Amino acid sequence: MASSSLAPPPGLRRRRNRARLRTAGFLSPWLIGFSVFFAYPLIATVYFSFMHYNQIEEPDFVGLRNWKYVLTQMPLFGPALWNTLWLVVVMVALRIVFGLGIGLLVTKIKSATGFFRTAFYLPYLAPPVAATVAFVFLLNPGTGPVNGILGALGIPAPAWFNDPGWAKPSLVMLSLWGIGDLMVIFMAALLDVPKEQYEAAELDGAGAWRKFRYVTWPSITPIVMFAVVTGVVQTMQYYTQALVAGKLASGVSVGPGSVVQPGYPEHSTLTVPQLVYSLGFQNFNTGAACVLSLVLFVIAMAVTTLLMRKRAGLLPAEDRSV
Amino acid sequence: MPFPRMRTFLSVALAGAGLLVPGCAHPSVGSDRDDPAKPVTLRFWHGWSNAGEVKAIEDSVARFEKLHPNITVKVIGNVTDETVNQVLRAGGDEAPDVVSSFTTNNVGQYCSSGMWADLDPFMRKTGVDKEKVFPKTFLEYTSYEGRQCALPLLADAYGLYYNKDAFKEAGIARPPRTMSELRRAAVKLTRRTGDGSYERVGIMPNFRFYENSPDRLFAQWGPAYFDRQGKARLAEDPRTKEFFATQRALIRAQGGYAALERFRATFGDEMSSQNAFLTQKVAMHMDGEWRGLMLKDQKAKFGWGTAPMPVPDDRADTYGRGCLTGTVAGIAHSSRHQNAAWELVRFLTVNTDQVVRFANAIHNVPSTKAALKSPELDTDPTFRTFLDIARNPYSTAIPPSVNGGQYIVTLRDFAYDVEAGKVPDLDRGLRGLDAQIDADNLQSQN
Amino acid sequence: MTTTTASDLASTTPRAPGTRARTAAPDRGPAARARRRRLLHWIAVHAVAVAAALFFVLPFVFVLLTSVMSDDQAMSGELWPDEWNWSNYATVFRTPGFLDWWKNSLLYAGLGTLFTVGSAVPVAYALARFRFRGRRTAMILVIATMMLPPQVIVVPMYLVWAQQLHLSGSLWPLIIPMAFGDAYSIFLLRQFLLTIPQEYIEAAKVDGCGELRTLLKVVVPMARPGLAAVALFQFFFCWNDYFGPQIYAAQNPASWTLSYGLESFKTAHSVNWNLTMAATLLVMAPVVIVFFFAQRAFVEGVKLTGVKG
């Protein structure tokens, strides 16, 4: 508060204090929420990462034991990290390509536009659990309609959610089905591209690809960047679909009592968030769960900082100067 | 008063939040000084969800309430172990007094943490001699390091179900008794269609098939997973390698892992009418005693019988053994009415008449010595097989562990790799398995 | 659709000036070639569109068809129901707990939305309009919170709710925090508030309104589309949430929501794909219905997330 050294006149100071109080009042819900539901648990996560705590007996300080266990001994750490990164790269990339494709398609459709837009958009609205249950049924290798049709056509059908090699691609397919959000964003961005630029390019004799490359792409890059950032953030939290798909596809009667290990088949759908749940709420290995949480935190922060540097448009220009 | 700067405010807020950190201990509010003859309401949680089973347990509770008119029992079903674990840790008014679990895996954790109350004092108070009431194996899987924090509430035994029609057609006179007999029978029973794909396999040995968890088949070797110090000793035990070799031989004899896995993918849901044994896609399989009830309900279109699982060739004298497990019941540490809760646990687990009636109703193996001998038990021979397995002195349950049987999960994952041929050096793999199990156990201990 | 005539086509194709005037000419010359090319283009685009539509719509169709099949047929892999058992839906509704799941979902989504919007408005307004020291830091912290996977802080948070407040087994640990500013909603709303011209606010100030009155009387009414979008997003977030209820409500079946219950429904009815599919459609239905009523707010909202940034 360098400015206060000049001792402003009392009236100004009173006004300034009132303004501060007013700002604090308006911000108070968030200030409380941020401290209690974000900062506190984050500190506590660090605290517990050095504790042995089974949520019954008192926490016990164990130094770096949890860290050593998670990073060097826990067999599921590697697969979970790999799956999460795989999904972040493949799922986000394909969603952007597919979303852009569908967005382009929608702008080109001239008949029954309402029908097509609604049809493309609706799956996005399906609650993730419901959509996953539906896909597990559709792609059931034994009794599902998709393999029934493929079989009738003589096309060799994969086992989808039951094949460790196909389980993640099946999840990607499920995410492409719900492309509606990206479709709308891209569609809006594509319609915002000034028409004159296309016409000018046409006059220059540009083909479809060159038009896309030199007119469309530059003007939609910020939106694509935005989609990348939000896509990466969402995919790092990827939980529900992978968990439900693995659980249902395993077909093991999940009778009460049997604790379902996430990641079926062969840990191929195990993501870091699922492992956090499994460690914290199934094994009550609080320390290890908190270590893994912090690993996820560091990766998430690193990735978002990196992407935000690239002007993802999250912090609008006028904010950069504040 | 001037409003402090944002940063100061935040740091104050953070410091305040930090104060909450260590305060996570919760005092045990439980009490064993209540008078079980006073009017009281107990909460009883169980895991049964199937309509018939729910009715059976509710009838049992009704019989208890008749005997103890001062006690009202509020029954909540379909509760998983995950939930029991979480709720007992959280405590609160809704927490149960009497708890049960479908698996014995968590008993070690329940006993060592004190989450389930030690039952020995209650048995002493009410004159129950556990050695006289329960078979030894059952007492083992309900206690951990000397603390008897649970008692068996009916048991499960694993045996062999076989398709009699298929046996007749293949010219096999009786169910196999040794592992090599099993392999030969399996080959004879396997049938293929014109294009070479399976129509039926003799047995589906792959560990992911329905109830085929590796620990259950391994029980036929009677393994000791740990040495006296509690260290995993699967690598040095020759039985481990014999077990894996036997399973792989079964796979090879019937066409290989990949082909069997492809066939397995076409099987219907285990609990449905599309169960592979019911649709005659497998001629033999390992399963628990409860399956018989389902086969009858679904009116299987073929004759079927039950037998103990075969044993290793060099241990033919142990034929009749099988893997044992069961539902267990206990008292929550947080219960304020532990004496009344004990009355319910005692009724459900010790009372011969109750144990027999409940066993007959849900087609499980009774878990007391008296009930196992009761003439009132279902006389169906396909069910009797499992009573004999339960009584067999060689039958074993998996040893309890402090972390919810995580070593079984680790063994299972390892076994998946072995059967898929992903473990070229089994000895090295087993040493790694032991090291992993030890590391996991260490991580769970203080 | 492929039977559309050339003149229909021309009338639906913008940026084709003069096409109609020349349609009378014989199929020769550059105009005809251009027309043929446009026709081929139309066919190509719509063929792709139909294929894509099949990909998006067929799953719904299969789910619907399976939901009315008999128990046995639902497991047969057949596509067309032999008999239309609409009573399956009644069976689902009669499942113990199903109506409670509805009630809980509505409670969670309804209260959650109300709290979120209520608490986000002043915060977003302050971040959009007030100049104060630490504004940029606050904005970065809001975005950081938004980016953070909820799993990072879930364990200690659960311990507080469960062991100190004894509120696990209910939806309150999910609803209460929403009264304290949800980062995503604050961010969205702020982006929207930035688009309201400053003059209106200045005018209100000239009329002697304090900040609070300006906010309530001028800004909130003008921000209605933004508020609607934020409310819708939050409603669907809560409705779809699985992780939250799994952590806090799982312990008590009386607190289960539809999203959580559906998965357990499949577990309990592992053999009844028909009932599971009926339940699945019943979980999807409210979202779709709300969509048709609030289509505009929806699409605006989705665009808001991306374009206005």
Side-chain angles (χ1 to χ4, degrees):
Chain A
M1 248 189 190
S3 58
S4 60
S5 59
L6 265 171
L12 182 61
R13 189 193 277 175
R14 207 177 308 129
R15 218 176 315 145
R16 212 188 269 164
N17 284 343
R18 238 203 354 247
R20 283 198 194 118
L21 215 56
R22 180 202 64 190
T23 308
F26 274 68
L27 288 179
S28 59
W30 175 74
L31 287 175
I32 296 170
F34 179 80
S35 323
V36 178
F37 302 116
F38 181 85
Y40 159 66
L42 197 58
I43 295 168
T45 304
V46 177
Y47 168 83
F48 282 121
S49 76
F50 298 108
M51 297 285 149
H52 175 268
Y53 183 42
N54 61 10
Q55 303 175 20
I56 316 166
E57 291 145 304
E58 294 284 314
D60 238 357
F61 181 75
V62 291
L64 289 173
R65 193 177 88 180
N66 295 320
W67 287 88
K68 189 181 147 222
Y69 175 72
V70 170
L71 298 179
T72 66
Q73 291 175 319
M74 193 171 69
L76 295 183
F77 178 67
L81 198 62
W82 161 249
N83 291 333
T84 292
L85 294 180
W86 190 98
L87 289 168
V88 163
V89 172
V90 177
M91 192 182 275
V92 174
L94 286 180
R95 266 179 66 86
I96 297 224
V97 171
F98 189 66
L100 200 51
I102 294 290
L104 268 171
L105 181 65
V106 164
T107 59
K108 297 265 189 278
I109 294 173
K110 306 297 179 214
S111 313
T113 42
F115 164 77
F116 281 115
R117 284 183 191 187
T118 311
F120 295 171
Y121 189 72
L122 266 190
Y124 165 67
L125 296 173
V129 177
T132 312
V133 172
F135 263 60
V136 170
F137 164 71
L138 296 168
L139 299 177
N140 183 307
T143 57
V146 170
N147 279 16
I149 294 171
L150 291 178
L153 297 173
I155 302 168
W160 306 109
F161 289 113
N162 288 292
D163 180 329
W166 276 92
K168 277 191 290 290
S170 303
L171 288 173
V172 171
M173 201 160 82
L174 173 62
S175 81
L176 293 184
W177 189 58
I179 201 72
D181 52 340
L182 286 189
M183 175 194 88
V184 171
I185 291 175
F186 285 139
M187 190 178 82
L190 289 166
L191 291 175
D192 275 352
V193 179
K195 295 217 164 54
E196 308 81 59
Q197 292 189 12
Y198 284 119
E199 279 154 19
E202 258 166 65
L203 284 179
D204 290 345
W209 167 248
R210 285 174 62 88
K211 268 194 287 182
F212 178 81
R213 174 70 189 80
Y214 293 105
V215 179
T216 317
W217 183 252
S219 69
I220 63 167
T221 331
I223 299 300
V224 173
M225 219 31 233
F226 174 84
V228 170
V229 173
T230 49
V232 168
V233 169
Q234 281 167 8
T235 315
M236 293 222 265
Q237 314 175 357
Y238 199 66
Y239 179 84
T240 307
Q241 291 92 332
L243 181 85
V244 173
K247 225 169 165 179
L248 297 190
S250 70
V252 178
S253 75
V254 268
S258 57
V259 171
V260 186
Q261 300 292 321
Y264 175 89
E266 285 177 41
H267 313 306
S268 62
T269 59
L270 179 73
T271 58
V272 175
Q274 287 181 79
L275 194 53
V276 171
Y277 177 83
S278 179
L279 287 171
F281 300 95
Q282 293 182 323
N283 302 340
F284 305 96
N285 201 336
T286 315
C290 287
V291 169
L292 195 64
S293 294
L294 290 172
V295 171
L296 186 64
F297 174 71
V298 169
I299 298 175
M301 283 301 126
V303 171
T304 43
T305 321
L306 194 78
L307 290 172
M308 300 252 282
R309 284 252 169 82
K310 301 244 175 201
R311 292 164 182 274
L314 275 178
L315 262 187
E318 30 90 36
D319 273 330
R320 297 202 181 94
S321 59
V322 179
Chain B
M1 198 183 87
F3 176 67
R5 290 197 306 179
M6 184 100 172
R7 223 172 303 149
T8 328
F9 179 85
L10 274 181
S11 43
V12 169
L14 291 190
L19 290 177
L20 277 166
V21 170
C24 282
H26 48 97
S28 179
V29 292
S31 155
D32 58 358
R33 283 152 196 249
D34 62 306
D35 178 356
K38 284 232 174 89
V40 65
T41 301
L42 292 178
R43 287 194 175 72
F44 168 44
W45 285 15
H46 66 78
W48 285 286
S49 60
N50 171 297
E53 294 170 339
V54 171
K55 187 176 175 309
I57 188 73
E58 280 173 356
D59 289 348
S60 304
V61 168
R63 288 196 287 273
F64 171 77
E65 286 176 328
K66 218 174 209 172
L67 284 175
H68 298 264
N70 61 311
I71 302 178
T72 314
V73 183
K74 217 177 131 193
V75 185
I76 296 181
N78 197 8
V79 183
T80 65
D81 268 33
E82 221 165 298
T83 304
V84 171
N85 259 314
Q86 290 173 5
V87 170
L88 288 189
R89 283 170 158 84
D93 294 338
E94 293 299 313
D97 300 288
V98 176
V99 272
S100 68
S101 160
F102 271 5
T103 123
T104 62
N105 287 3
N106 292 318
V107 168
Q109 209 174 25
Y110 292 147
C111 291
S112 69
S113 64
M115 238 189 334
W116 287 26
D118 189 352
L119 298 179
D120 279 324
F122 295 98
M123 285 192 263
R124 271 198 300 278
K125 262 192 263 183
T126 53
V128 174
D129 182 353
K130 64 177 180 183
E131 318 282 344
K132 285 207 179 114
V133 177
F134 301 102
K136 196 164 150 284
T137 330
F138 295 172
L139 283 178
E140 277 165 14
Y141 72 60
T142 48
S143 64
Y144 184 68
E145 291 178 348
R147 276 174 76 102
Q148 188 80 43
C149 72
L151 285 174
L153 174 58
L154 304 192
D156 296 318
Y158 283 83
L160 182 79
Y161 284 80
Y162 65 99
N163 183 328
K164 282 184 171 167
D165 295 0
F167 267 57
K168 206 177 290 167
E169 181 194 295
I172 307 171
R174 58 164 176 79
R177 290 188 183 160
T178 64
M179 288 293 169
S180 38
E181 278 180 33
L182 175 68
R183 194 180 65 241
R184 285 193 293 272
V187 172
K188 274 192 214 161
L189 289 161
T190 300
R191 266 202 333 220
R192 290 168 190 275
T193 55
D195 61 357
S197 58
Y198 295 111
E199 189 182 318
R200 180 179 72 204
V201 290
I203 192 164
M204 174 54 73
N206 294 10
F207 286 131
R208 284 195 180 81
F209 174 65
Y210 300 160
E211 299 285 330
N212 273 10
S213 183
D215 52 299
R216 295 190 186 135
L217 184 60
F218 198 17
Q220 299 311 107
W221 277 260
Y225 288 84
F226 301 100
D227 64 15
R228 284 226 183 86
Q229 282 76 44
K231 294 260 181 258
R233 45 158 295 176
L234 289 164
E236 57 198 70
D237 189 341
R239 287 174 288 194
T240 319
K241 282 172 74 179
E242 284 171 33
F243 156 66
F244 280 118
T246 305
Q247 193 249 3
R248 296 211 68 190
L250 275 173
I251 289 176
R252 263 197 313 278
Q254 293 178 90
Y257 175 74
L260 287 170
E261 205 54 8
R262 269 198 303 281
F263 188 48
R264 190 182 69 86
T266 68
F267 292 175
D269 195 286
E270 178 184 352
M271 295 299 171
S272 76
S273 61
Q274 300 300 304
N275 176 300
F277 185 67
L278 266 169
T279 54
Q280 307 201 49
K281 285 179 170 176
V282 296
M284 302 181 278
H285 76 138
M286 176 175 65
D287 215 330
E289 77 287 339
W290 66 86
R291 181 74 60 199
L293 194 61
M294 185 187 136
L295 293 175
K296 277 176 210 156
D297 283 350
Q298 298 278 357
K299 300 195 178 52
K301 296 184 191 68
F302 52 90
W304 54 274
T306 59
M309 275 298 284
V311 291
D313 296 19
D314 58 346
R315 291 168 211 271
D317 55 318
T318 62
Y319 180 68
R321 72 167 19 160
C323 170
L324 297 183
T325 176
T327 305
V328 300
I331 300 174
H333 73 106
S334 54
S335 167
R336 292 191 184 88
H337 321 285
Q338 296 184 354
N339 287 320
W342 165 245
E343 288 305 322
L344 178 58
V345 172
R346 183 161 75 131
F347 174 77
L348 291 173
T349 60
V350 179
N351 184 310
T352 308
D353 177 55
Q354 156 62 17
V355 172
V356 170
R357 285 169 80 167
F358 191 36
N360 281 341
I362 68 170
H363 219 264
N364 271 36
V365 174
S367 44
T368 64
K369 286 178 178 169
L372 276 163
K373 283 188 225 124
S374 167
E376 306 288 315
L377 277 178
D378 192 342
T379 52
D380 185 333
T382 59
F383 180 58
R384 289 269 161 174
T385 307
F386 293 96
L387 300 181
D388 293 336
I389 296 171
R391 273 193 296 246
N392 187 294
Y394 293 107
S395 293
T396 51
I398 58 162
S401 65
V402 70
N403 52 13
Q406 202 179 341
Y407 70 98
I408 295 296
V409 176
T410 312
L411 170 70
R412 205 178 292 161
D413 284 341
F414 179 72
Y416 292 155
D417 282 349
V418 174
E419 68 174 355
K422 287 186 201 157
V423 181
D425 184 347
L426 189 58
D427 281 306
R428 224 180 116 223
L430 285 172
R431 281 196 299 274
L433 176 66
D434 280 346
Q436 185 62 54
I437 292 173
D438 288 341
D440 290 340
N441 281 337
L442 183 70
Q443 168 66 19
S444 304
Q445 278 155 11
N446 260 323
Chain C
M1 266 165 274
T2 41
T3 55
T4 322
T5 63
S7 60
D8 281 341
L9 187 57
S11 65
T12 55
T13 312
R15 275 195 291 122
T19 316
R20 186 174 288 275
R22 277 182 235 155
T23 41
D27 263 8
R28 254 177 286 134
R33 257 208 308 283
R35 214 179 54 186
R36 204 175 304 129
R37 212 179 60 215
R38 269 201 305 279
L39 179 69
L40 283 176
H41 184 243
W42 189 95
I43 291 174
V45 165
H46 286 76
V48 175
V50 169
L54 286 179
F55 169 68
F56 289 112
V57 172
L58 273 185
F60 288 116
V61 175
F62 287 139
V63 168
L64 178 69
L65 291 176
T66 308
S67 73
V68 294
M69 289 181 183
S70 63
D71 293 2
D72 281 338
Q73 203 199 356
M75 277 185 302
S76 65
E78 285 167 32
L79 299 181
W80 198 256
D82 289 334
E83 42 186 318
W84 296 70
N85 296 308
W86 294 105
S87 60
N88 286 348
Y89 286 85
T91 311
V92 171
F93 267 109
R94 277 200 305 270
T95 308
F98 194 77
L99 288 175
D100 284 336
W101 301 345
W102 267 83
K103 212 181 64 207
N104 291 328
S105 279
L106 282 176
L107 175 86
Y108 176 26
L111 273 184
T113 306
L114 208 68
F115 284 4
T116 302
V117 174
S119 62
V121 167
V123 180
Y125 182 68
L127 288 174
R129 292 294 167 196
F130 295 174
R131 325 274 314 165
F132 57 94
R133 207 184 256 277
R135 183 163 95 131
R136 184 178 152 76
T137 318
M139 206 49 214
I140 288 176
L141 288 179
V142 166
I143 293 174
T145 323
M146 200 168 95
M147 298 291 180
L148 189 84
Q151 291 87 4
V152 168
I153 52 170
V154 70
V155 176
M157 214 60 253
Y158 168 82
L159 292 175
V160 171
W161 288 113
Q163 303 203 334
Q164 289 176 341
L165 304 171
H166 300 296
L167 278 173
S168 57
S170 78
L171 291 164
W172 295 111
L174 298 171
I175 296 172
I176 293 171
M178 291 185 179
F180 296 97
D182 164 66
Y184 189 63
S185 307
I186 291 174
F187 174 76
L188 273 192
L189 201 56
R190 173 184 175 275
Q191 302 302 84
F192 191 86
L193 293 182
L194 284 176
T195 65
I196 296 179
Q198 185 73 31
E199 299 86 67
Y200 290 95
I201 295 165
E202 297 302 330
K205 286 229 181 93
V206 169
D207 288 348
C209 285
E211 287 292 354
L212 198 60
R213 280 196 51 187
T214 314
L215 173 62
L216 294 178
K217 298 274 172 211
V218 181
V219 178
V220 166
M222 289 191 73
R224 230 180 276 148
L227 288 174
V230 168
L232 271 173
F233 272 122
Q234 194 60 21
F235 190 88
F236 288 114
F237 168 79
C238 297
W239 190 268
N240 293 344
D241 190 16
Y242 175 87
F243 183 69
Q246 189 193 17
I247 299 287
Y248 293 108
Q251 300 87 343
N252 179 5
S255 302
W256 287 4
T257 61
L258 270 180
S259 274
Y260 187 74
L262 177 62
E263 195 258 327
S264 84
F265 186 91
K266 168 66 185 94
T267 306
H269 295 78
S270 57
V271 294
N272 304 116
W273 273 116
N274 50 349
L275 297 186
T276 306
M277 288 300 114
T280 304
L281 276 185
L282 287 173
V283 175
M284 290 178 179
V287 195
V288 175
I289 292 167
V290 171
F291 168 73
F292 279 110
F293 280 107
Q295 206 164 352
R296 265 185 61 93
F298 232 111
V299 174
E300 274 311 308
V302 176
K303 277 196 271 181
L304 187 65
T305 59
V307 180
K308 298 273 165 54

